[in-house]
């Protein structure tokens, strides 16, 4: 913690030159794909940003959020709850969602550097 950051990460600048055009497409596994399709998604590969968008639409469509505490999502008994392995979560703590995505998407194509 006391050593200097530039000495610890000499390749920092080089490692961060990633182009914004390098968009990674992922392929959702079937149970996740079904949820996305319910929210209007078409096709079989998406960016993570698109997946998050459709999951949000799905939560609104199926009225899974609490009307008084709108950051709370109650997904017990829903396909989304099965995937998350949880009966509820707060949209302010996205970790359960990202853990679920790690388990439920496979890389589809990554543009070569
Ligand atoms: C999941 C997918 C957490 C994560 C990812 C994004 C989204 C666009 C703007 C504003 C939550 C969980 C979201 C903030 C929400 C949200 C809240 C209630 C109902 C639906 C969505 Cl698995 C998600 N996608 C979005 C989520 C969201 N977010 N609130 C972002 C920052 C977010 C949080 Cl892991 O694409 N959001 N939202 C809130 N709007 C919907 C559009 C609702 C507010 C309550 C009343 C109905 C509309």
């Amino acid at each position: 913690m006391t050593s200097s950051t530039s000495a610890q990460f000499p390749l920092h600048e080089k490692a961060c030159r990633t182009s914004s055009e390098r968009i990674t497409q992922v392929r959702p596994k079937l149970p996740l794909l079904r949820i996305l399709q319910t929210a209007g998604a078409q096709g079989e590969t998406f960016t993570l940003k698109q997946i998050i968008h459709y999951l949000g639409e799905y939560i609104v469509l199926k009225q899974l959020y609490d009307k008084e505490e709108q950051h709370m999502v109650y997904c017990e008994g829903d396909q989304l709850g099965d995937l998350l392995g949880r009966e509820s979560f707060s949209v302010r703590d996205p970790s359960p969602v990202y853990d679920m995505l790690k388990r439920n998407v496979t890389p589809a194509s990554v543009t070569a550097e």
Side-chain angles (χ1 to χ4, degrees):
M1 289 302 144
T2 52
S3 62
S4 105
T5 306
S6 55
Q8 271 181 290
F9 303 109
L11 297 174
H12 181 73
E13 282 176 37
K14 211 180 176 186
C16 288
R17 80 199 182 318
T18 321
S19 152
S20 57
E21 280 105 273
R22 258 182 93 227
I23 296 170
T24 308
Q25 293 273 328
V26 296
R27 191 180 297 278
K29 293 184 183 171
L30 203 53
L32 176 59
L33 185 62
R34 294 247 189 277
I35 290 177
L36 303 178
Q37 286 170 339
T38 304
Q42 295 186 341
E44 290 182 352
T45 63
F46 307 91
T47 62
L48 285 175
K49 198 179 165 187
Q50 288 174 314
I51 293 178
I52 289 295
H53 165 79
Y54 285 117
L55 285 175
E57 299 267 290
Y58 178 88
I59 291 166
V60 175
L61 185 78
K62 296 204 72 182
Q63 299 276 296
L64 298 179
Y65 65 96
D66 189 288
K67 307 302 170 294
E68 266 101 60
E69 278 192 285
Q70 299 192 336
H71 67 98
M72 286 303 299
V73 177
Y74 292 91
C75 46
E76 191 180 15
D78 190 273
Q79 310 162 73
L80 182 61
D82 295 345
L83 273 188
L84 288 169
R86 297 185 56 138
E87 42 197 62
S88 68
F89 68 97
S90 166
V91 304
R92 294 174 188 166
D93 171 21
S95 54
V97 176
Y98 283 93
D99 287 345
M100 179 279 283
L101 290 179
K102 279 182 219 154
R103 294 190 302 266
N104 286 281
V105 305
T106 52
S109 65
V110 182
T111 312
E113 275 188 79

